[in-house]
Amino acid sequence: MGALQTRGQDVDLPIKDRFTPFVRRDHSVSRIETACHYIDAHLAAADLGAERLCRVLAVSRRKLYYLFEPFGGVSRFIRERRLAACHRILRQGEDARLISTLAYDHGFSDPAHFSRLFRARYGYSPKEARRTTA
């Protein structure tokens, strides 16, 4: 699969270490780092997407897509970061929110769609992820 799938085990590495192997020579690591920090800080925002990132980073849509091309695109990157955050919370087992609430709080608008994406990414359901920690 794409870069995020193969590098999924590196979620806890510092951003620079996690993404540097995928950055082309002409890309600015600092711009990607800035984008990643911003994305991680705003996962719950419903309007988190290419348009908002273009404004924040002061880049064109074309440049943004070019920066995120090694990661499968902007939307995929954001979706993977949202899934990773939910996965981490569910595995820790300390958060008692409903899974649907957790999904909403991380920018997913449909809990059923979230569950399908989660299962496709991790191979088990969000409910099973929570159960393994209990």
Side-chain angles (χ1 to χ4, degrees):
M1 289 231 152
L4 290 174
Q5 292 278 336
T6 60
R7 303 273 298 172
Q9 68 275 14
D10 295 343
V11 168
D12 295 325
L13 287 176
I15 287 176
K16 188 173 184 177
D17 296 339
R18 203 174 343 141
F19 299 118
T20 302
F22 298 107
V23 178
R24 295 183 183 156
R25 284 182 307 209
D26 58 329
H27 285 176
S28 168
V29 173
S30 63
R31 185 159 286 157
I32 291 174
E33 287 179 345
T34 301
C36 293
H37 286 297
Y38 185 84
I39 290 167
D40 285 343
H42 297 88
L43 290 175
D47 67 337
L48 181 60
E51 185 178 330
R52 185 170 175 177
L53 286 173
C54 286
R55 283 193 316 267
V56 169
L57 298 173
V59 297
S60 68
R61 185 176 284 268
R62 181 177 177 196
K63 176 69 173 178
L64 183 73
Y65 286 161
Y66 185 69
L67 285 170
F68 280 90
E69 182 183 352
F71 310 109
V74 178
S75 295
R76 180 171 180 209
F77 184 85
I78 292 170
R79 182 180 64 237
E80 291 291 327
R81 296 305 301 149
R82 286 175 167 161
L83 287 170
C86 291
H87 184 255
R88 195 170 32 258
I89 290 168
L90 289 168
R91 295 294 298 208
Q92 289 171 348
E94 298 171 4
D95 193 323
R97 284 182 285 179
L98 295 172
I99 291 172
S100 60
T101 303
L102 182 66
Y104 290 130
D105 289 349
H106 284 83
F108 293 98
S109 59
D110 180 8
H113 183 63
F114 163 73
S115 291
R116 286 190 296 275
L117 290 171
F118 191 96
R119 182 181 288 281
R121 174 67 174 95
Y122 296 105
Y124 46 86
S125 71
K127 194 176 201 178
E128 291 168 324
R130 177 172 273 166
R131 245 185 283 167
T132 59
T133 61

